[in-house]
Amino acid sequence: MDTEGAYDSPGTRDAGTRDGRLPHQAAAGPLPALPPLPPLPPAVPRPAPAPELHDRAAGQPARAGQSPFLTWLRTPRPAAAPGVWLYGHRPKPPEEPGRLPGRQLLSGAVIALLCGWLIGSLLWNGYLGPYWLWPLSALTPDSWHRGMTAVWTVYIYYVLWLGALVVVFGRLGRWPQVWRRYGTPLLRRLWDDDGTAPAAAPGAAPGQDPADWPQLRAAGAHDAAERLAAEARGGLMNDVDHARIERAWQSVRTRPGRLASFTETVLRQGAAACAHPSGARDLPVRAAQHDLVTRQVRIGTAADDTRNPYEHRGAGYALDPALLGTSLLAVGPPGCGKTDRLVRPVLESLCLQALAGRAAVVAVGAAGTGLAPDESFDIVVRIGRPDSAYDLDLYGGTDDPDEAAAVLAEGLVGDLTAALPGEGGRRATTALAQVLGPYHAVHGRFPSVPELRELLDGSAAAVAALRDALRAGGHDALARELDARERQAHRPGDAGPLLADRLALLDRPAFARFFDTTRPGRTFSLRTLEHPLRVRIDLPERGHAEASRMLARLVLAQFTECAVARADRSLFACLVLDDATHAVTPETVRGLGRLRSAHAGAVLTLRTLDDAPETLRSALLGSVGCRMAFSGVTTWDGARFAEVWGKEWVETRDVTDRQIIAHEPLTRASHIVRRLVTGRAVTAQSVTVRTVERERWSASELAHAVPAGHAVLSVTSVRGASAPPVLVDLLR
């Protein structure tokens, strides 16, 4: 058993594994000329470094007698608000509206301690004379004042006085509150660091220890559970192995007939069972902190700022598929950290989840950006590079001419539909369909870029050859489509010349060996999103900037179409588009809204909202559930974010100083003296408390009050749970 079908969609497993190729290779076509995937380093069964990173981040080092993997697995993950890093999270105590600042609390406690110490010293050393002993003489008989009884009586009297001093000055200095705020957390942290209070003891019952795989034991697979537990305790399992086998077990639960095969594979391969088609069990390098139990990746820490909600202050902040399923839009100027502190951690997390059989990811960026090493991907498409082993399918892997025409028109002229007269985009789609349908009927494939350009240009030889082939094949209806294309080509405002001009950007010598429909075996199609693939597409931004933007728009349109059309939606499909400049169109905005129900999402970054059409900026912010404004955004961009984040009710305190006018002679004289000494009139303060509605973050605050290395992030889960915008420190 290679994957036990855990990662295969219905009707694709046999075709994708009998000949030893990956599922996406079989889906691309049965041609034998398919080149192999770029080689990956061999998987070494070793404990993953990620749990150690997690332990350091959460302040929980590996406990004595436990491996880092077991410590990571047994660490509690309590429920919290969306976006909070759950690994080792400790909910904050309820907010105290009248909570004193720490400096004021500690200074009062120290002053009270010194006063109590001074009075106690005076009493103990007898500096107050016999007066403080008078109650003892008055309340006790004379027989208690002789011999050892007198000594014990005096010492007991001292203790009572000292106890009274402790109680009185302890209340004055708020010592109980100091202990609750600082002493109790310190003891709890020391208790945990000593390893005396583990989350789950190594010898706990199988139903309480996740390392014993209780779900397998409950289903009767005791031998498989014993093998996995032994490998976990022996240091031969990492977090990716655990997540991958958990995913395979979920597939077994839906199809009980696979239990015997699953058990046999686990007994034979142990932690390496149900491996990813690439054979990799981990990424070569990890730069971020991940928790594959909750599927989160940590991106920073919520700042301890009054503008942040109380329960978020100081907590780690993370993203996961439940949030990315609503799509994320990040806006910030170059150099603010969009790629380093957001795109790369999220992409790394999605690649790990793909290795665990839980996700499929497509990363799109300019060549040389370095989103992740080549070894972290199964397929790397380097458009315009002669060393690329794969090229891109312009038609999205579909056989339907109308669907191919709609997607291709979106990529070619999606940003120029306003320049087309009439219904614009519909005209471009119709023009392409009138050519693609007849060509596919004759040749069984769609035309290459030069062939399609000739047909749209109205080349007499190309059109005549296609018409003769249609009539010879008996496709009279499609011949009429071609005749209609010829008639429309002579009308004003025809979309054909504009489409041909856009195709000319791809009909260049650098792209001569790309987009070739005669070699489908080497072409990557987004129709393979039903498999746990890791794909990176490098765009030729240098020298072909306009072609790169057009290809980015095409990939985004294909993704929104293919992700929704998947038959098997068990995998989370995500598109990471670094720099979506000129890729936002009305169709893609509508497509982003449909991804939420298709278990898919997209991560888009923009330098400014001005890179999107003005009529789509508000719609774009409304179509995504997660919005992120980095430091350095303009006030115009900040105004859009402030509008979409809305307002909240806050309590304000207005302090007014008014001059006191005295009428009595003595009071007036004292006021005159105070004014001569202080130089200010005698005033009294009046405080007015009101509840008003204010913006959560104003445009000015977003533009000028967000420190460098920070961002304001609001998240929404696919189930509708949301969190208000939070200022996140991306450097912690």
Side-chain angles (χ1 to χ4, degrees), residues 395-461:
Y395 304 99
T398 182
D399 292 330
D400 185 357
D402 293 330
E403 182 179 346
V407 174
L408 186 57
E410 182 67 19
L412 293 178
V413 295
D415 60 332
L416 297 178
T417 52
L420 297 177
E423 298 182 6
R426 187 190 63 81
R427 290 183 173 231
T429 302
T430 303
L432 284 171
Q434 289 171 342
V435 172
L436 296 181
Y439 192 95
H440 188 274
V442 172
H443 299 280
R445 62 177 177 85
F446 291 118
S448 61
V449 171
E451 294 169 336
L452 181 58
R453 182 184 176 187
E454 283 185 349
L455 293 173
L456 291 173
D457 268 334
S459 172

Side-chain angles (χ1 to χ4, degrees), residues 48 98 137 199 227 246 255 273 324 340 364 421 476 591 623 672:
S137 303
R227 174 66 189 275
E246 282 274 6
R255 298 183 182 179
L324 297 178
D340 293 338
V364 182
D476 296 334
S623 64
I672 293 175

Side-chain angles (χ1 to χ4, degrees), residues 182-355:
Y182 300 103
T184 303
L186 179 61
L187 285 182
R188 186 184 296 113
R189 189 178 301 112
L190 294 175
W191 180 270
D192 292 342
D193 290 345
D194 291 340
T196 55
Q208 301 175 356
D209 190 357
D212 282 333
W213 295 86
Q215 63 274 34
L216 271 66
R217 298 179 187 273
H222 296 280
D223 295 339
E226 288 293 342
R227 174 66 189 275
L228 294 175
E231 298 236 337
R233 294 190 176 92
L236 301 178
M237 179 180 292
N238 60 21
D239 53 350
V240 178
D241 296 332
H242 181 272
R244 187 184 64 252
I245 296 174
E246 282 274 6
R247 161 70 176 169
W249 174 248
Q250 293 174 5
S251 176
V252 172
R253 291 181 58 186
T254 58
R255 298 183 182 179
R258 295 180 175 178
L259 178 59
S261 179
F262 172 82
T263 303
E264 186 272 333
T265 303
V266 170
L267 292 176
R268 177 165 40 89
Q269 300 180 0
C274 312
H276 186 265
S278 66
R281 294 172 56 187
D282 201 352
L283 294 179
V285 179
R286 297 195 192 186
Q289 302 173 20
H290 306 274
D291 183 17
L292 292 183
V293 171
T294 58
R295 305 175 67 181
Q296 288 184 314
V297 54
R298 179 166 179 160
I299 61 172
T301 303
D304 191 6
D305 191 278
T306 56
R307 289 168 293 194
N308 284 346
Y310 169 76
E311 62 274 10
H312 289 81
R313 297 174 193 169
Y317 232 66
L319 296 172
D320 58 78
L323 303 178
L324 297 178
T326 62
S327 297
L328 184 147
L329 175 67
V331 179
C336 65
K338 298 190 301 297
T339 301
D340 293 338
R341 297 164 191 159
L342 173 66
V343 173
R344 286 174 183 165
V346 170
L347 181 57
E348 188 176 278
S349 174
L350 293 171
C351 288
L352 287 172
Q353 294 179 44
L355 291 179

Side-chain angles (χ1 to χ4, degrees), residues 434 478-489 491:
Q434 289 171 342
L478 294 176
R480 289 192 294 270
E481 285 284 320
L482 194 60
D483 295 337
R485 171 91 288 274
E486 284 189 299
R487 291 193 300 270
Q488 292 177 4
R491 296 178 181 176

Side-chain angles (χ1 to χ4, degrees), residues 460-543:
V463 173
L466 181 57
R467 180 183 292 105
D468 294 341
L470 287 172
R471 291 174 179 173
H475 303 291
D476 296 334
L478 294 176
R480 289 192 294 270
E481 285 284 320
L482 194 60
D483 295 337
R485 171 91 288 274
E486 284 189 299
R487 291 193 300 270
Q488 292 177 4
H490 300 289
R491 296 178 181 176
D494 178 54
L498 180 58
L499 292 170
D501 290 343
R502 281 306 181 94
L503 282 172
L505 297 174
L506 302 180
D507 191 13
R508 307 297 300 164
F511 307 133
R513 59 183 296 268
F514 288 86
F515 319 121
D516 190 354
T517 57
T518 62
R519 296 180 295 175
R522 53 170 287 117
T523 302
F524 167 70
S525 168
L526 270 74
R527 291 285 170 181
T528 58
L529 291 177
E530 294 182 348
H531 305 286
L533 290 178
R534 301 166 296 164
V535 182
R536 193 187 76 205
I537 301 176
D538 293 342
L539 301 177
E541 178 123 2
R542 296 180 181 177

Side-chain angles (χ1 to χ4, degrees), residues 526-565:
L526 270 74
R527 291 285 170 181
T528 58
L529 291 177
E530 294 182 348
H531 305 286
L533 290 178
R534 301 166 296 164
V535 182
R536 193 187 76 205
I537 301 176
D538 293 342
L539 301 177
E541 178 123 2
R542 296 180 181 177
H544 303 278
E546 191 63 32
S548 296
R549 295 170 181 174
M550 187 169 59
L551 291 173
R553 190 164 54 248
L554 178 64
V555 172
L556 179 56
Q558 289 183 359
F559 178 83
T560 56
E561 182 69 27
C562 296
V564 176

Side-chain angles (χ1 to χ4, degrees), residues 580-670:
T581 302
H582 300 294
V584 179
T585 66
E587 287 299 325
T588 56
V589 169
R590 284 189 284 268
L592 290 175
R594 295 194 299 266
L595 292 178
R596 181 181 302 192
S597 60
H599 197 201
V603 177
L604 310 178
T605 66
L606 289 173
R607 296 185 179 92
T608 172
L609 287 175
D610 292 339
D611 291 337
E614 184 177 1
T615 57
L616 296 179
R617 293 168 192 171
S618 297
L620 176 61
L621 287 171
S623 64
V624 298
C626 302
R627 309 168 186 94
M628 199 167 185
F630 281 78
S631 59
V633 297
T634 64
T635 52
W636 295 274
D637 289 345
R640 296 282 185 178
F641 279 98
E643 181 182 4
V644 75
W645 280 331
K647 300 180 180 180
E648 63 178 345
W649 290 99
V650 296
E651 187 178 88
T652 62
R653 299 169 61 89
D654 297 332
V655 180
T656 305
D657 289 337
R658 61 180 182 85
Q659 183 177 356
I660 299 178
I661 300 176
H663 300 283
E664 295 78 5
L666 292 178
T667 306
R668 184 178 300 176
S670 65

